[in-house]
């Protein structure tokens, strides 16, 4: 497993991983109509363009295994953990943990006091185990469909 900084040439593979993950891993917690609103397959091309810019602006790391992207995550410079996705075949192997460990250490280097995220129902237990606290349950509207997620915050500690 190799963790590398984001390369814009990887954007298409990252977006594909996002779609595959949402439509498989998150299907245990969200309906098909919710998944289609969250990750509409007809927007893939425009998402590649917009994500190339935002992933490049953010602090973004990618996990590669045998030259294949198996996970990615990004953090804004103001401390918002925006995206965290791990390939459906590589869940539970420490990839998300490794990515968030790096982003949390980057947050310390930026002297951020906290990191916030909007965790899916599926991701909520992972973040809770890492010390993130639920601030509120949110209903987010996408394409006329309501999706539940959780606004979560973790205080950055500088002791370790």
């Amino acid at each position: 497993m190799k963790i590398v900084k984001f390369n814009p040439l990887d954007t298409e593979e990252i977006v594909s991983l996002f779609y595959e993950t949402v439509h498989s891993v998150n299907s245990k917690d969200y309906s098909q109509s919710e998944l289609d609103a969250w990750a509409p397959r007809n927007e893939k091309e425009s998402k590649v363009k917009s994500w190339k810019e935002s992933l490049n602006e953010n602090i973004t790391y990618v996990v590669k295994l045998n030259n294949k992207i198996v996970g990615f995550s990004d953090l804004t410079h103001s401390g918002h953990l925006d995206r965290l996705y791990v390939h459906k075949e590589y869940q539970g192997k420490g990839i998300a943990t490794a990515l968030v460990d790096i982003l949390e250490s980057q947050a310390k280097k930026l002297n951020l006091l906290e990191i916030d995220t909007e965790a899916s129902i599926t991701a909520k237990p992972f973040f809770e185990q890492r010390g993130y606290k639920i601030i509120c349950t949110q209903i987010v509207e996408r394409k006329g469909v309501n999706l539940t997620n959780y606004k979560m915050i973790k205080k950055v500690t500088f002791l370790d």
Side-chain angles (χ1 to χ4, degrees):
M1 180 167 83
K2 189 167 71 171
I3 302 174
V4 296
K5 286 197 171 214
F6 170 71
N7 180 333
L9 297 174
D10 290 334
T11 308
E12 204 162 317
E13 189 177 352
I14 286 169
V15 170
S16 291
L17 185 148
F18 160 74
Y19 280 94
E20 289 172 29
T21 302
V22 168
H23 284 278
S24 57
V25 174
N26 297 97
S27 65
K28 67 183 173 102
D29 297 308
Y30 294 89
S31 70
Q32 189 59 53
S33 63
E34 290 171 322
L35 298 173
D36 290 340
W38 181 355
R41 295 186 190 276
N42 64 340
E43 291 182 0
K44 195 171 179 181
E45 203 171 296
S46 64
K47 194 172 290 295
V48 168
K49 185 179 185 304
S50 66
W51 278 28
K52 185 179 283 190
E53 292 171 19
S54 63
L55 290 168
N56 207 33
E57 288 170 12
N58 294 346
I59 301 162
T60 306
Y61 286 92
V62 174
V63 176
K64 292 189 176 189
L65 196 59
N66 301 323
N67 236 10
K68 174 184 176 182
I69 295 174
V70 295
F72 71 95
S73 189
D74 65 321
L75 179 76
T76 67
H77 292 272
S78 60
H80 178 67
L81 198 159
D82 193 7
R83 292 163 278 218
L84 172 63
Y85 291 94
V86 174
H87 190 284
K88 63 183 176 185
E89 293 170 17
Y90 296 90
Q91 297 280 313
K93 299 190 184 309
I95 293 169
T97 297
L99 285 164
V100 175
D101 282 349
I102 284 184
L103 293 179
E104 288 179 359
S105 77
Q106 292 297 315
K108 288 178 189 179
K109 289 178 184 173
L110 292 171
N111 294 316
L112 297 173
L113 300 178
E114 63 187 27
I115 297 171
D116 71 273
T117 194
E118 295 175 12
S120 66
I121 296 167
T122 315
K124 181 176 73 109
F126 168 80
F127 284 107
E128 286 176 321
Q129 287 176 338
R130 294 194 59 90
Y132 287 73
K133 304 287 182 221
I134 296 172
I135 301 305
C136 65
T137 302
Q138 302 183 129
I139 303 297
V140 180
E141 188 267 326
R142 296 268 189 276
K143 307 256 179 238
V145 177
N146 289 333
L147 301 166
T148 300
N149 72 17
Y150 303 91
K151 174 83 171 170
M152 301 180 82
I153 288 183
K154 180 178 182 178
K155 300 289 181 203
V156 175
T157 57
F158 295 88
L159 300 174
D160 33 90

